[in-house]
Amino acid sequence: MTITALPITAHPAVEGGLQLEVTNISPQTESIVSITLADPSGARLPSYVPGSHLVVQYGSGVNAYSLTGSGNGPTEYTISVLRVEDGAGGSVAMHQLGVGDRVYVSRPRSAFAPASTATHHLLIAAGIGITPVLSHARAAADRGTTSSLIYVYRPGAGAHVEEARDLLGPALTECSDRNSFQKVLAEQLMTQSLGTHLYVCGPVAFMDAVLDQARELGWPPARLHSEAFGAAELDDGEPFTVNLVRSGLKLDVPSGASLLETLEKAGKTIPNMCRKGICGECVLPVLRGTPQHRDLYLTDQEKAENTTMMCCVSRSEDPELELDL
Amino acid sequence: MCSASMPPAAGTGLEPGFRGVICASFGATGDTAGQHTGVQPRHDLRFKAANPEALSELRSVLERSHVGVRLVLAGPPADIRAAAAAAAECGLQQEELTLLSDETAPRVIYCPHCHATTTTVRPAGSEVQCRGCATSLATTDHFSRRMGAYLGYSAHAEEAS
Ligand code: FES
Ligand SMILES: [Zn+2]
């Protein structure tokens, strides 16, 4: 199936967005392709905050992809898509796009913004996690602040490696194995000036390891920024219990089942659309406990407040969560 | 958080890349000695007041240190507020900062008549005799970062005129 025409209707998650045309396709690796989108009339596109993502419709579904540019006065949007064979089909459909095809996209959304007071950005990426981090590196270069990047990828499977080398020069450290990465990471975490903020993107387990090590070395949460990746990469998660205070119900959320599914099974109707943490429809108020935020919708600050959560993807850090439901 | 067991580091001899606890105290006897830092290395700084020299020394110490460092500020409220602002400008985050505000710590009072400064342990609002010109000075809560002192004013100005 090739998507040559726009779907008849826009998915609600991209409503109020843009209709763009594919202007370039360039394979990055065997499984990663970069797709460039532009307004068919050549008009300038809305600027975006570095680290923003775009929700793109494929057929009847939607997916979120990080924008790789600096975001400053763009005439095109470029995203890179990793093909996930056993995913929901979005990435496979994206890989079949050709130049001239049209797609519905949302306006860019920011959930991984740079700290305005930072004077240096320590960027850490694994695999396809390079995409938002490249945006940060470009924006930092534009604004005249410095950045350095530790990029972990399997040999021969690194996207945007050449661009990263051009952009960062000696400030780029490439790692292909765990041990060398651990060494570089520990050393960098101990040698940063006080104006430094850390940004990490990659698989959840990778990010957790980086953030844990940073905390151990005395980095407070205000310096740490992370972006969880799309639903395809989310693991099953630990089981936990939710206490629905207003309904007087306690439910067990087993590993592998989402909180949203569990609530639906118990007869609750929760508004939802994308079911992958990007549209913001399934938000729930949290009364007690710390959610494990795995969505792309809430901002860093909203996540830190721990008063709301997106129940389609997010879980719990604590054995029990209390919800205002 | 700081401990008296470790002797204060000499002068500004802070090794580059310091990631321990910096304890800066303001006021003649205001100090962080009662605090203990546990096992973390500690660097002590003592200042009479948060004057420009003190703040620039604090800045240079922070510029040499690395993320992971913690800062403890002890002394009169206005001094530590001025020092906290300087630390924030260096990129220090709130969570990395502990303020030990001491309302009874000695304060430095600036005399507008003879420009001398007088140290007092009396609380704000009380009177102190200027050690320069013996004018009776009422102390204010107004701290001048430029002078590194609280501004005093002649307590009996109305009567004198
Ligand atoms: S349904 Fe879209 S964020 Fe949960
Ligand atoms: Zn005087």
Side-chain angles (χ1 to χ4, degrees), chain A:
Chain A
M1 174 197 83
T2 317
I3 309 168
T4 44
L6 275 174
I8 310 298
T9 50
H11 187 285
V14 299
E15 244 168 44
L18 311 156
Q19 293 180 21
L20 301 182
E21 187 175 297
V22 176
T23 56
N24 189 51
I25 301 272
S26 85
Q28 289 279 339
T29 68
E30 251 170 48
S31 56
I32 299 174
V33 69
S34 281
I35 301 168
T36 303
L37 306 166
D39 190 291
S41 71
R44 194 174 274 247
L45 298 174
S47 290
Y48 56 91
V49 176
S52 290
H53 62 272
L54 212 56
V55 178
V56 183
Q57 179 169 2
Y58 63 92
S60 59
V62 286
N63 246 330
Y65 300 100
S66 292
L67 289 156
T68 57
S70 75
N72 191 6
T75 51
E76 55 187 34
Y77 288 158
T78 301
I79 56 176
S80 291
V81 180
L82 169 70
R83 188 170 51 223
V84 184
E85 301 293 354
D86 57 356
S91 66
V92 173
M94 294 295 288
H95 273 244
Q96 286 164 346
L97 284 174
V99 171
D101 286 346
R102 299 224 174 155
V103 289
Y104 282 118
V105 305
S106 68
R107 286 171 175 272
R109 294 205 186 126
S110 167
F112 188 44
S116 59
T117 54
T119 52
H120 183 75
H121 304 279
L122 173 59
L123 308 170
I124 303 170
I128 190 69
I130 185 67
T131 50
V133 149
L134 196 62
S135 167
H136 279 287
R138 287 209 169 101
D142 281 3
R143 284 194 310 259
T145 50
T146 58
S147 59
S148 49
L149 167 59
I150 312 175
Y151 183 13
V152 189
Y153 60 88
R154 277 183 295 112
H160 301 287
V161 173
E162 287 306 323
E163 286 158 277
R165 286 179 187 159
D166 287 348
L167 202 56
L168 291 138
L172 169 68
T173 311
E174 297 169 50
C175 296
S176 58
D177 70 280
R178 218 192 143 85
N179 287 345
S180 65
F181 171 65
Q182 276 307 323
K183 231 184 108 204
V184 172
L185 177 64
E187 189 209 283
Q188 298 253 342
L189 287 175
M190 289 191 287
T191 52
Q192 298 300 319
S193 67
L194 292 191
T196 306
H197 282 244
L198 179 154
Y199 307 82
V200 61
C201 187
V204 172
F206 172 81
M207 295 197 301
D208 284 349
V210 168
L211 296 173
D212 281 348
Q213 190 167 357
R215 281 188 285 260
E216 261 164 47
L217 289 169
W219 289 64
R223 294 186 185 275
L224 302 176
H225 311 269
S226 61
E227 170 150 283
F229 238 69
E233 290 195 37
L234 291 179
D235 56 28
D236 287 349
E238 297 291 321
F240 62 101
T241 305
V242 280
N243 185 0
L244 311 183
V245 179
R246 275 190 285 131
S247 340
L249 259 185
K250 262 195 192 199
L251 301 173
D252 289 322
V253 184
S255 174
S258 71
L259 173 55
L260 176 58
E261 287 162 6
T262 306
L263 291 167
E264 286 173 337
K265 250 194 212 147
K268 298 272 164 200
T269 310
I270 312 289
N272 69 89
M273 280 180 335
C274 71
R275 301 179 79 95
K276 51 177 80 162
I278 57 183
C279 72
E281 275 299 296
C282 68
V283 64
L284 290 181
V286 178
L287 295 174
R288 198 203 296 252
T290 309
Q292 180 190 40
H293 297 288
R294 312 204 295 180
D295 64 278
L296 288 166
Y297 185 79
L298 297 174
T299 62
D300 277 356
Q301 201 192 328
E302 288 168 332
K303 283 177 182 160
E305 284 167 9
N306 288 326
T307 53
T308 52
M309 72 184 292
M310 314 313 299
C311 65
C312 60
V313 291
S314 295
R315 307 185 68 85
S316 180
E317 299 283 1
D318 299 322
E320 182 171 306
L321 274 186
E322 228 173 79
L323 301 177
D324 190 5
L325 206 69

Side-chain angles (χ1 to χ4, degrees), chain B residues 32 37 60-61 97-98 139-142 153 158-159:
Chain B
T32 52
T37 48
S60 88
V61 162
L97 180 63
T98 305
T139 61
T140 65
D141 254 338
H142 187 93
Y153 65 93
E158 287 99 274
E159 295 156 37

Side-chain angles (χ1 to χ4, degrees), chain B residues 96-118:
Chain B
E96 297 164 330
L97 180 63
T98 305
L99 299 180
L100 303 173
S101 175
D102 183 358
E103 309 287 340
T104 62
R107 300 157 169 256
V108 177
I109 313 296
Y110 173 81
C111 173
H113 309 290
C114 73
H115 310 301
T117 54
T118 305

